Amino acid sequence: MNLTKFDYHLHTKHSDGEMSFNDLLEALKGSVDICGVSDHFELGHSHSIDLSENYINEFNSFREKAKSAGITVYLGAETGLGKDGILLPYKRPQIEYVIASLHKVPLKEANFDEYWETYKKIVSKNVKKGGFTILGHVEGYLPLSPFIDRDLSFKKKREIEHYIIEKYFTADWYSALAKDLVENDIALEIHEQSETPRLMILDIMKRSGVTFSYGTDSHIAKQVSKRNYLNMVIQELNLKESDFLSMEKIAQKI
Ligand SMILES: [Zn+2]
Ligand SMILES: [Zn+2]
């Protein structure tokens, strides 16, 4: 069975991506049927957008053009997870869904153990609290900056991440998280760029009834058509369309 080609994690040059809305449209053609733009909209984030009328107008014109090309587009936002809740600067009625990802652990000084335990605590607390649609890259693109050299390669960062998740992000922690994800109707993101969460974790989530979202987290055009990790996961876990969130239903609810 062919699943709908969707992607709910896309950035434009309005936050930290490189693509204009027109570039994004060109990249989407042929690769995607349904998608969402999710520029950063987060307190304290250096690339947070201003959801101004101008941005909304540009988005709406992009949405119309995409529709003519047979692509359905939603307006989302990627925000952060803070100690006391998500880090949305303010509410905009136009936002149809929210991805929340932990981009910064609010600790001035911490040892390695304390840092990752705090990361997990903040994720758990926010998932219990709810108020967002998708938990973004929970074990990928981790906030490594206090511990690494900025120039470290993409590959090296992923290796460090792998060490961290194997050590701290246990099956037990995920089993507890799964219950709250289900309870609060939050989907777990399968993140293409970092190829996470690990298959064994996705398996736990599936068995617990967690709904999945998918995002390439594209910042440049050539990332938009990548589906390597998703295809592997679909095959290994025998995922069906019904295992993924239906944005149509969600956007109507908001
Ligand atoms: Zn992110
Ligand atoms: Zn992102």
Side-chain angles (χ1 to χ4, degrees), residues 9 11 40 78 101 103 137 217:
H9 198 152
H11 295 280
H40 293 285
E78 183 180 17
S101 322
H103 293 126
H137 54 85
D217 203 355

Side-chain angles (χ1 to χ4, degrees), residues 232-243:
M232 190 278 278
V233 169
I234 287 174
Q235 197 176 355
E236 289 293 322
L237 299 182
N238 191 23
L239 297 184
K240 309 269 187 300
E241 193 95 24
S242 55
D243 291 310

Side-chain angles (χ1 to χ4, degrees), residues 104-149:
K104 198 175 173 188
V105 177
L107 282 175
K108 284 233 158 56
E109 266 172 55
N111 65 40
F112 208 59
D113 287 344
E114 189 187 353
Y115 189 88
W116 297 111
E117 292 305 332
T118 305
Y119 177 102
K120 289 191 312 186
K121 259 188 215 142
I122 293 173
V123 170
S124 301
K125 191 174 171 187
N126 275 277
V127 169
K128 264 199 168 70
K129 194 170 177 183
F132 54 99
T133 325
I134 298 163
L135 178 62
H137 54 85
V138 67
E139 58 172 47
Y141 281 14
L142 294 175
L144 302 171
S145 56
F147 305 108
I148 59 159
D149 200 331

Side-chain angles (χ1 to χ4, degrees), residues 178 181-183 186 203-212 243:
L181 286 166
V182 172
E183 184 117 331
I186 298 168
D203 189 33
I204 293 172
M205 292 292 166
K206 190 193 171 200
R207 287 165 198 272
S208 311
V210 172
T211 300
F212 297 119
D243 291 310

